[in-house]
Amino acid sequence: MFVRDQTSEILKVFALLCTVLVFIYARPYLLDRKQYAGEFYTLMIFATIGVMLLVSAGNLVMIYLGLELLTLSSYALVALNRDSSLSSEAAIKYFVLGALSSGMLLYGMSMVYGATGTLDLAQLHAAVPQSAMPHLLVFGLIFMLVGIAFKLGAAPFHMWIPDVYQGASTPVTTFIASTSKLAAFGMAWRLLETGLGDLSQHWQPMLAAVAVLSMAIGNLVAIVQTNLKRMLAYSTISHMGYLLVGLVNAGPEGYASAMFYAISYALMSTVAFGVILALARAGFECEEIADLKGLNQRSPWFAALMALAMFSLAGVPPLFGFYAKYLVLQAAIDAHMLWLALTGAVFAIIGLYYYLHVVKVMYFDKPVEGGADQSTPDTSLRVVLSINALALLVLGVYWGPLLGWCRRSFGLG
Amino acid sequence: MMLEHVLVLSAYLFSIGIYGLITSRNMVRALMCLELILNSVNINFVTFSDIFDNRQLRGDIFSIFVIAIAAAEAAIGPAIISSIYRNRKSTRINQSNLLNK
C-alpha cells in the first residue's frame, strides 16, 4: 500500500526542498499584498502531503488519494486570491479540466481492476501478462494515460497550464511548476512501470506521440508570448515533452534520466519564478517580458540569476538543463528511437529563441519607467535565490552525485 | 452476460457526463456532470468487485474512497463558482475570456 524505496525518497526530498523554497520566496510577495494568511501555508502543506503519498503509492487507491489531495489543494490555492477575476477564471478552468482527467484516470483504473482483479501495483505487475482480458487492459491503459498526461501538462492535454500559470498568484505558480511536476513524474513512473510494465509495447508509442506533440506545441507557441509567466508555462509543456522522451525508453536508464530531468526542471523553475517574485513589489507584478527591460542596468545580480535560469531551461552547457536534456536524448537513442531524439534536438534549438529573447530584453533594452526596478529587500529571499541559481551552475558541472543517486534508485550502477 | 450490460450502462453514463461537462454553459450543470462521471466509475468498480473479488471487495472499498473524494470536489467546485460569481455576477462558462492565447 505504502512503498518506501529510493525513488520515493529522492522525489520526497526534492519535493520538500521545492516547497521550502516556495515558502521562502513567497513571504515578501504575500506580505506586500496583504495575502499573508494561514490558508496559503496550510493548503500548500496539504498539497505536499499529497505529493509524498503519491510518490510512495503501492496501490491504485493510494495513487488516487495522493493525487486528489494534491489537486484539490491546488484548486483552492489557485482560487485563493479571491478578489482577482483572473485567478477565479484560472481556478474554474483548472477545476473542470482536472476533474475531467481525474474521471478518466479513474475509469482507466476500473478497467485495469476488472481485467486483473487486483488494485495492488506489485500484484498488477504479476497479473498483467496472464490476464484473461487483454483488450480491457489496453482500454484502461489509454484512459490512465490521459490522466497521467494531464497531470504532467503534456499536449494535447495541456490547456490548463498557460491559464493556471498566468492566473494564479506567482507563489502558487512556483509550487505547481516545481513540486507538482515531481509528483506527476512519480505517478507516471509508478503507474506505467511498476503497475503496467508488461504493457510497455502499448504505451511506448502513445507516449512518444504525446512527447513530440508537447515539444512541438510548447516550443512553437512560446515564441509568440508576451507575458513572462505564460511563456514559462508553454516552455513547461515542452519540458514535459522531454521528460516523456525519457520515459518512452521503458528501461531503468530511461527512468533515471526522466527523474533527473524532473528534478532539474523543478529547480530551474523555482529560480525563474523566484526572480519574478523577487522583482515584484506592491502594485507591480513582474509578469510581462517588457517589465524586465534593461534589468541589467538597475539590478544586475538578479538579471544574472534570471539569465542563468533562462540558459539552463534552454539547455545551454555547462548548466544543469543541458545535461538533463543530453541524458534524455541519450535514452531515446538507446531505445532505438533516433527520430525521437532528432525531433527533440530540433525543437530544443527552436526553443532557444524565446529564452534568449528574455536575456536580450534584460541586457540590451533600455529600462522603462514602470518596469522592474529594485529587488525586494528581504535578505533570506536574496540569499536562498542566489544559492538556488548557483546550484544550477554547480550541478551542471558536478552532476555526478545526483545522477548516481537517481541511477541507484532504479537499480543501475 | 450481466457483466457486459452493466459495463455498457456505465460507459453510457460516463459519455453523458463527459459531454455535459464539456458543453454546458452553466457551471453548476458542469459540476453535476462531473458527479455523473465519478458515479459511473463507481458502478464499474462495484460490478468488477462483485464478479471477481468476492472475498476482499477491493473494488467496493475503492468506490467508497471515490465517493468521499467526489464529496470534497463538490465542496471546492461551488466555492470556486461562488468566487467567480462574486467577481463577475454571472456563471456562464463561455464568458471566460480574460485568459486567452
Side-chain angles (χ1 to χ4, degrees), chain A residues 91-258:
Chain A
I92 193 66
K93 285 183 178 176
Y94 186 19
F95 180 78
V96 168
L97 292 175
L100 181 60
S101 83
S102 276
M104 294 236 184
L105 179 74
L106 267 182
Y107 197 69
M109 283 183 182
S110 75
M111 288 296 157
V112 166
Y113 172 64
T116 54
T118 174
L119 288 173
D120 188 75
L121 286 175
Q123 291 174 12
L124 260 184
H125 199 91
V128 157
Q130 50 208 11
S131 160
M133 287 177 275
H135 297 296
L136 205 56
L137 264 179
V138 178
F139 188 61
L141 169 70
I142 296 178
F143 278 97
M144 282 167 78
L145 275 181
V146 170
I148 294 173
F150 172 86
K151 196 64 198 140
L152 273 175
F157 311 106
H158 64 284
M159 285 319 295
W160 64 280
I161 293 216
D163 294 336
V164 167
Y165 275 41
Q166 186 184 2
S169 58
T170 316
V172 174
T173 309
T174 318
F175 180 81
I176 293 181
S178 55
T179 315
S180 201
K181 295 290 183 282
L182 288 171
F185 166 75
M187 176 172 94
W189 178 68
R190 289 263 173 228
L191 281 175
L192 291 176
E193 206 277 334
T194 321
L196 302 171
D198 279 326
L199 288 179
S200 62
Q201 81 261 29
H202 292 285
W203 53 255
Q204 266 177 312
M206 288 192 248
L207 277 188
V210 168
V212 168
L213 209 55
S214 305
M215 291 188 287
I217 292 183
N219 279 316
L220 292 176
V221 182
I223 293 179
V224 298
Q225 299 301 324
T226 52
N227 185 307
L228 183 58
K229 280 163 63 170
R230 211 169 170 85
M231 180 212 92
L232 285 172
Y234 278 106
S235 89
T236 301
I237 298 172
S238 75
H239 282 289
M240 291 303 117
Y242 287 107
L243 196 150
L244 286 173
V245 168
L247 277 178
V248 162
N249 186 337
E253 300 265 356
Y255 299 134
S257 68

Side-chain angles (χ1 to χ4, degrees), chain A residues 11-25:
Chain A
L11 287 173
K12 280 185 214 176
V13 162
F14 281 101
L16 287 170
L17 176 67
C18 290
T19 311
V20 166
L21 290 175
V22 169
F23 284 161
I24 295 178
Y25 298 164

Side-chain angles (χ1 to χ4, degrees), chain A residues 1 59-62 64-65 106 113 119, chain B residues 41-50 53-70:
Chain A
M1 182 72 74
N59 195 321
L60 289 179
V61 182
M62 209 56 171
Y64 181 63
L65 286 180
L106 267 182
Y113 172 64
L119 288 173
Chain B
V41 173
N42 279 341
I43 295 178
N44 254 346
F45 270 117
V46 167
T47 309
F48 282 132
S49 146
D50 178 47
D53 205 4
N54 248 328
R55 306 274 306 178
Q56 283 188 309
L57 295 181
R58 291 188 197 95
D60 290 308
I61 296 175
F62 199 169
S63 290
I64 297 198
F65 278 115
V66 173
I67 292 175
I69 305 273

Side-chain angles (χ1 to χ4, degrees), chain B residues 3-79:
Chain B
L3 176 65
E4 289 91 37
H5 293 175
V6 182
L7 293 185
V8 165
L9 167 70
S10 83
Y12 276 152
L13 290 176
F14 189 74
S15 322
I16 293 173
I18 296 224
Y19 174 75
L21 185 61
I22 299 177
T23 60
S24 65
R25 279 186 306 157
N26 191 341
M27 290 177 193
V28 181
R29 180 171 297 175
L31 283 188
M32 291 195 288
C33 293
L34 169 66
E35 296 295 315
L36 196 52
I37 291 174
L38 292 174
N39 282 315
S40 81
V41 173
N42 279 341
I43 295 178
N44 254 346
F45 270 117
V46 167
T47 309
F48 282 132
S49 146
D50 178 47
I51 293 192
F52 294 120
D53 205 4
N54 248 328
R55 306 274 306 178
Q56 283 188 309
L57 295 181
R58 291 188 197 95
D60 290 308
I61 296 175
F62 199 169
S63 290
I64 297 198
F65 278 115
V66 173
I67 292 175
I69 305 273
E73 278 189 5
I76 292 194

Side-chain angles (χ1 to χ4, degrees), chain A residues 30 50 76 94 97 127 129 165 175 241 322 340 363 365 398:
Chain A
L30 295 174
Y94 186 19
L97 292 175
Y165 275 41
F175 180 81
F322 163 71
L340 194 56
Y363 279 89
D365 279 357
Y398 194 55

